[in-house]
């Protein structure tokens, strides 16, 4: 997959509070979707493309910021994040191509029909490599040759993260996903999935893609005997593959789920919270280098730690989420010799641990 150009567009509305005397509601982001044509463009710039972005308020009333996704709509594939801004309807959009930068300018901040634009491709030294005319048109139906895009609110980061995991795709580590629109890294993983399926690797979210992703994820969960775990009163949820870990037990405050031979074990627990300094010390201790460890990976973002390593013939994959009310953890261990059976569930189990601000033991 050629990942190069990132594209984004948007439009934001500030909603007034009507008769409310206190605070106005927070501004609501609006999605802008455009198709583009640049007949004179040459590789790596695409001749036809799609922009799918959100527009949010800028620093002043006439200004909006642009953030979203861009993808070519025909071979060769090129896609990625874009960002920019508009002052009233005059906009500038920036993205990355393969070893080059793309700039789109024009009065497309509130396009009601085809709008003339201008594209420039520059190298890393800001030297112009090519430029020419482009036309941007509001997308009001399916993308020609590719299909209909899903509604802007059809899926969020949390939901797409889950679908990608169950479809054997890479997802980001560290902080848990939110209920915001899908991230750029998720779209990159989606583009990889599309390429595996023999489709144009766009990273655009099509309705047919979501249908297939959901069906395949449901089938995979059923095969694994995926069993949700949760305690809403204590602010956490997780899950485990019961088909592989059928033996459930409790050891003190820990829930244990083990394989039939007892060699693979998943531990789920919520402990008392740690102070920031205590959590720092804990992270330093468990992630410290030591003889006999290999394949070590550690990603920490504030109170979230995702880590994995191999030691003594055993794979360990863990997730820790430290909050004011408690420290939630999942620790999954299994034999290196059985990696083929358990590796596919390593990240799924880690990322199944979700906590709220009400987390407590």
């Amino acid at each position: 997959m050629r990942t190069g150009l990132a594209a984004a567009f948007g439009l934001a509305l500030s909603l007034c509070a009507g008769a409310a005397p206190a605070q106005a509601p927070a501004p609501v982001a609006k999605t802008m979707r455009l198709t583009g044509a640049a007949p004179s463009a040459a590789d790596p710039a695409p001749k036809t493309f799609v922009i799918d972005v959100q527009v949010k308020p800028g620093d002043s009333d006439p200004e909006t910021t642009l953030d979203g996704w861009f993808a070519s709509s025909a071979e060769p594939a090129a896609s990625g994040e874009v960002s920019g801004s508009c002052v009233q309807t005059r906009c500038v959009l920036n993205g990355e191509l393969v070893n080059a930068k793309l700039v789109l300018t024009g009065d497309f901040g509130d396009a009601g029909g085809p709008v003339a634009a201008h594209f420039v491709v520059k190298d890393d030294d800001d030297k112009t490599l090519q430029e020419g005319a482009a036309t941007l048109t509001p997308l009001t139906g399916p993308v020609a040759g590719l299909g209909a895009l899903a509604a802007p609110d059809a899926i969020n980061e949390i939901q797409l993260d889950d679908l990608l995991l169950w479809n054997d795709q890479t997802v980001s580590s560290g902080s848990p996903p939110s209920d915001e629109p899908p991230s750029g890294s998720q779209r990159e993983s989606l583009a990889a999935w599309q390429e595996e399926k023999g489709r144009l690797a766009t990273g655009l979210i099509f309705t047919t893609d979501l249908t297939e992703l959901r069906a395949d994820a449901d089938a995979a969960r059923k095969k694994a005997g995926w069993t949700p775990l949760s305690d809403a009163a204590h602010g956490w949820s997780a899950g485990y593959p019961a088909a592989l870990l059928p033996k459930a037990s409790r050891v003190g405050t820990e829930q244990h789920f083990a394989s039939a031979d007892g060699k693979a074990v998943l531990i789920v627990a919520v402990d008392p919270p740690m102070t920031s300094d205590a959590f720092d010390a804990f992270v330093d201790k468990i992630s410290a280098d030591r003889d006999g460890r290999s394949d070590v990976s550690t990603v920490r973002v504030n109170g979230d730690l995702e880590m994995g390593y191999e030691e003594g013939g055993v794979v360990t994959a863990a997730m820790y989420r430290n909050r004011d009310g408690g420290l939630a953890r999942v620790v999954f261990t299994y034999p290196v010799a059985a990696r083929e059976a358990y590796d596919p569930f390593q990240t799924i189990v880690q990322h199944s641990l979700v906590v709220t601000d009400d987390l407590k033991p």
Side-chain angles (χ1 to χ4, degrees):
M1 177 185 70
R2 298 179 50 194
T3 303
L5 189 48
F9 256 73
L11 179 79
L13 297 175
S14 282
L15 300 180
C16 296
Q23 289 185 330
V28 177
K30 185 176 180 180
T31 298
M32 176 183 283
R33 290 173 167 174
L34 305 170
T35 58
S40 66
D43 190 47
K47 293 182 180 297
T48 60
F49 50 90
V50 176
I51 293 168
D52 182 9
V53 298
Q54 283 196 317
V55 185
K56 299 180 180 180
D59 295 333
S60 61
D61 287 343
E63 183 179 1
T64 53
T65 61
L66 312 175
D67 286 289
W69 193 254
F70 169 96
S72 59
S73 55
E75 295 285 1
S79 63
E81 292 175 286
V82 290
S83 61
S85 62
C86 300
V87 177
Q88 294 183 336
T89 62
R90 187 68 178 178
C91 302
V92 179
L93 184 67
N94 301 283
E96 296 292 326
L97 294 167
V98 177
N99 300 320
K101 296 176 287 187
L102 175 74
V103 182
L104 272 170
T105 57
D107 294 325
F108 48 79
D110 192 19
V115 174
H118 185 77
F119 79 90
V120 179
V121 178
K122 298 183 178 182
D123 63 17
D124 292 337
D125 295 323
D126 217 33
K127 178 182 177 182
T128 297
L129 302 177
Q130 56 174 298
E131 62 180 311
T135 302
L136 300 177
T137 304
L139 178 63
T140 57
V143 179
L146 296 177
L149 294 181
D153 60 353
I155 195 164
N156 61 26
E157 276 189 352
I158 295 172
Q159 296 160 341
L160 185 54
D161 201 68
D162 185 60
L163 290 183
L164 291 169
L165 282 170
W166 283 103
N167 280 274
D168 301 320
Q169 298 303 313
T170 301
V171 297
S172 58
S173 299
S175 292
S178 69
D179 58 1
E180 292 293 311
S183 66
S185 63
Q186 289 179 326
R187 286 178 176 269
E188 289 175 359
S189 292
L190 176 61
W193 176 84
Q194 290 167 334
E195 185 175 45
E196 289 179 5
K197 295 294 183 178
R199 301 166 191 166
L200 184 65
T202 64
L204 297 168
I205 303 172
F206 293 97
T207 56
T208 52
D209 288 344
L210 282 186
T211 298
E212 185 171 348
L213 284 164
R214 286 168 173 154
D216 289 350
D218 286 343
R221 290 190 199 97
K222 184 176 181 180
K223 182 178 179 181
W226 185 253
T227 303
L229 303 168
S230 66
D231 187 342
H234 287 234
W236 67 270
S237 62
Y240 73 101
L244 292 176
L245 306 173
K247 298 169 63 176
S249 62
R250 182 176 288 273
V251 179
T253 60
E254 298 179 342
Q255 295 185 68
H256 286 212
F257 305 93
S259 57
D261 61 9
K263 294 181 179 180
V265 179
L266 171 66
I267 297 173
V268 180
V270 180
D271 305 318
M274 290 186 180
T275 64
S276 180
D277 289 344
F279 190 66
D280 289 344
F282 170 74
V283 173
D284 289 343
K285 180 179 179 180
I286 66 171
S287 62
D289 291 336
R290 65 189 189 208
D291 293 340
R293 271 192 179 183
S294 61
D295 295 335
V296 179
S297 64
T298 304
V299 179
R300 180 187 175 183
V301 180
N302 300 320
D304 296 300
L305 172 67
E306 181 177 342
M307 69 175 300
Y309 58 87
E310 184 181 315
E311 185 174 24
V314 175
V315 176
T316 297
M319 180 72 81
Y320 301 88
R321 302 203 188 278
N322 190 41
R323 300 295 186 267
D324 290 342
L327 170 65
R329 59 186 165 98
V330 296
V331 181
F332 187 26
T333 57
Y334 52 89
V336 172
R339 296 193 77 139
E340 184 175 350
Y342 297 108
D343 269 359
F345 296 95
Q346 181 185 117
T347 307
I348 291 173
V349 165
Q350 288 173 307
H351 284 233
S352 74
L353 180 62
V354 177
V355 302
T356 71
D357 292 338
D358 297 323
L359 179 68
K360 59 186 176 182

